[in-house]
Amino acid sequence: MALLTCENASFAYEGKAAAKNINFSVESGDYLCIVGENGAGKSTLMKGLLRLKSPTSGSIYLGEGLQTNEIGYLPQQTEVQKDFPASVYEVVLSGCLNRLKGRPFYGRAEKELAAEKLEQLGITALKHRAYRELSGGQQQRVLLARALCATQKILLLDEPAAGLDPLVTNELYELIAKVNRELGLTIIMVSHDINSVMQYASKVLHLDTEQLFFGTVEEYRTSSIGARFLGGPFHGGN
Amino acid sequence: MVVIDLFNEMMTYPFMVRAFIAGTLVALCASLLGVSMVLKRYSMIGDGLSHVGFGALAIATSLHLAPLAVSLPVVVAAAFLLLRIKESSKIKGDAAIAIISTGSLAVGVMVISMTTGMNTDTCNYLFGSILGVNQSEVALTVGLSIAVLLLFVLFYNRIFSVTFDETFAKATGTKADLYNMLIAILTAFTIVLGMRTMGALLISSLIIFPALSSMRIFKQFKAVVISSAIISIVCFVSGLTMSYVYATPTGASVAILNIAVFLIFSAIGWISGKGLVK
């Protein structure tokens, strides 16, 4: 059984379809990229996968013993975080919250895990810095470390490169690929930046409210929709 | 020592002891919750709740009911309502809060003028009084304040997570809505308890100022929380003393001291931000 399966799932906002009849499955170790234009239902689907929004029809199954609270998530940054007083360590440690079960405070295991993730992402030196004073790329690393504290299996990312400059974007993509390769985490990433992502992803799901394509990256390159979408990176799909 | 003599003198009056104990505890609760309220952009909810508290207090007094027993459930209900409005809004959050605040104030004033008439009591409700806490309320205030403090400490890590990033917290299995509700209910308690000394119009300064002042200087959540608690208690005790010595309204005295601290902290924050002091 796959790690995560989406079967005929549809999502709607106030009766208006945002994503329709989505069918795909993700195996352990996959790197799936969900692509499409703005408003194609990518973020809606992401919310569905995170159980923040329930499907109007169809269903989403988790397999291989994956629990709903074992999903790591790298959300888009919010307005609140821009002036939020928190140290890097406080933010990363908060990723361990789903391990506390009923306990009120973090123990040694959680603190060690947070320290390990800081080390893996090369941000141990930033541990005591204020989150709001970091650069965009550093902030994304901190949020990635937090997400890694929350999961050992699957990581969902929503436009992680939004607002980053090209150099930092590449570094971040390299880092995500490393997490996929070396830690064996399954990755599901929403992005409209298909060209840079193609070199890392193993599978592609292309949405335009309806599902236009699901398959491997190789299949996508040779498909008509893929060829069209990849052909004109600066002009969009149509 | 003049200060100690003054303190001892103040403590010979039972009403001062009551105001001191109840007020300090409420100031502490307000400052802790305030950090989360301000960061979640809920400051105006706190302000709205205090106006609802005034309305409830006016109605309770005119019906000769126990003021706290009536205002507590009403303000908690209003907290539920305001959070709901913020989540799913046809009327936008800030407008909804304004409607509820001014509406409650109007109802309160109307009820008072039709029953007891506008008098010093009304003034005390609005702006606070050093004599505000009566004997029967002290025990309740102490009990509830301790409950608020305990819950805040026990749920500290969850409150941080929900305040910093609600979506992430929800996605990783934290019941964010539950903790939002917890924060709002604890705030409702704190507002009702603090209203008698601070006044309905000024109680939200206890919630908002210490957190904002601390955020000018401190960059860690825990440091902001601790600093807010200290600022709030220092300002309250000094304000109460000022009110006793100069016969000034308690609420206004405390609020003005909080404004002073905010200005000082802003200046320090600005100077250290410019790199003039390290």
Side-chain angles (χ1 to χ4, degrees), chain A residues 5 8 36 55 57 78 128 136 194 197 201 209 212 228:
Chain A
T5 312
N8 265 329
S57 66
T78 62
H128 299 295
I194 178 71
V197 165
T209 310
L212 299 182
R228 197 146 43 93

Side-chain angles (χ1 to χ4, degrees), chain A residues 1-4 25-31 63-64 66 152-154 180 183-187 202-203:
Chain A
M1 188 172 174
L3 194 59
L4 189 147
S25 64
V26 179
E27 308 288 330
S28 193
D30 273 357
Y31 187 145
E64 298 180 17
L66 181 66
Q152 290 173 325
K153 292 176 180 163
I154 185 164
N180 176 236
L183 302 178
L185 252 75
T186 308
I187 307 279
S202 59
K203 286 182 179 169

Side-chain angles (χ1 to χ4, degrees), chain A residues 14-201:
Chain A
E14 290 163 6
K16 200 162 165 276
K20 264 196 297 200
N21 303 327
I22 311 297
N23 280 290
F24 71 93
S25 64
V26 179
E27 308 288 330
S28 193
D30 273 357
Y31 187 145
L32 171 71
C33 194
I34 302 174
V35 299
E37 304 286 322
N38 285 336
K42 300 181 305 249
S43 292
T44 307
L45 177 60
M46 192 62 117
K47 288 208 177 83
L49 298 180
L50 290 164
R51 319 248 146 183
L52 299 177
K53 186 166 177 54
S54 20
T56 45
S57 66
S59 36
I60 296 167
Y61 304 106
L62 300 182
E64 298 180 17
L66 181 66
Q67 302 295 313
T68 47
N69 66 354
E70 288 178 327
I71 298 177
Y73 179 44
L74 185 70
Q76 295 199 25
Q77 299 227 30
T78 62
E79 196 58 33
V80 170
Q81 291 163 1
K82 284 188 186 142
D83 64 349
F84 199 100
S87 69
V88 166
Y89 186 62
E90 284 178 313
V91 173
V92 174
L93 196 57
S94 75
C96 300
L97 194 62
N98 58 358
R99 289 164 189 272
L100 288 183
K101 313 295 176 200
R103 284 182 291 138
F105 306 113
Y106 298 114
R108 180 183 287 178
E110 287 82 27
K111 287 174 182 166
E112 279 172 3
L113 180 69
E116 179 193 319
K117 296 304 167 194
L118 284 168
E119 191 64 45
Q120 275 170 0
L121 297 183
I123 47 174
T124 304
L126 303 178
K127 188 173 169 183
H128 299 295
R129 290 275 302 279
Y131 175 82
R132 65 182 177 199
E133 289 174 358
L134 302 179
S135 69
Q138 287 171 326
Q139 287 182 339
Q140 287 299 69
R141 279 183 189 234
V142 173
L143 296 187
L144 187 56
R146 177 184 65 163
L148 292 180
C149 282
T151 185
Q152 290 173 325
K153 292 176 180 163
I154 185 164
L155 181 62
L156 274 65
L157 305 101
D158 194 354
E159 301 277 8
L164 300 182
D165 64 53
L167 196 68
V168 179
T169 300
N170 276 336
E171 278 175 17
L172 185 67
Y173 284 145
E174 284 289 344
L175 198 62
I176 295 164
K178 193 177 133 190
V179 165
N180 176 236
R181 239 180 8 246
E182 293 175 13
L183 302 178
L185 252 75
T186 308
I187 307 279
I188 300 181
M189 179 161 84
V190 161
S191 179
H192 62 260
D193 181 15
I194 178 71
N195 282 287
S196 25
V197 165
M198 285 295 281
Q199 50 179 317
Y200 302 111

Side-chain angles (χ1 to χ4, degrees), chain B residues 42-58:
Chain B
Y42 283 178
S43 305
M44 286 312 291
I45 291 187
D47 200 51
L49 291 180
S50 61
H51 290 68
V52 173
F54 171 75
L57 204 63

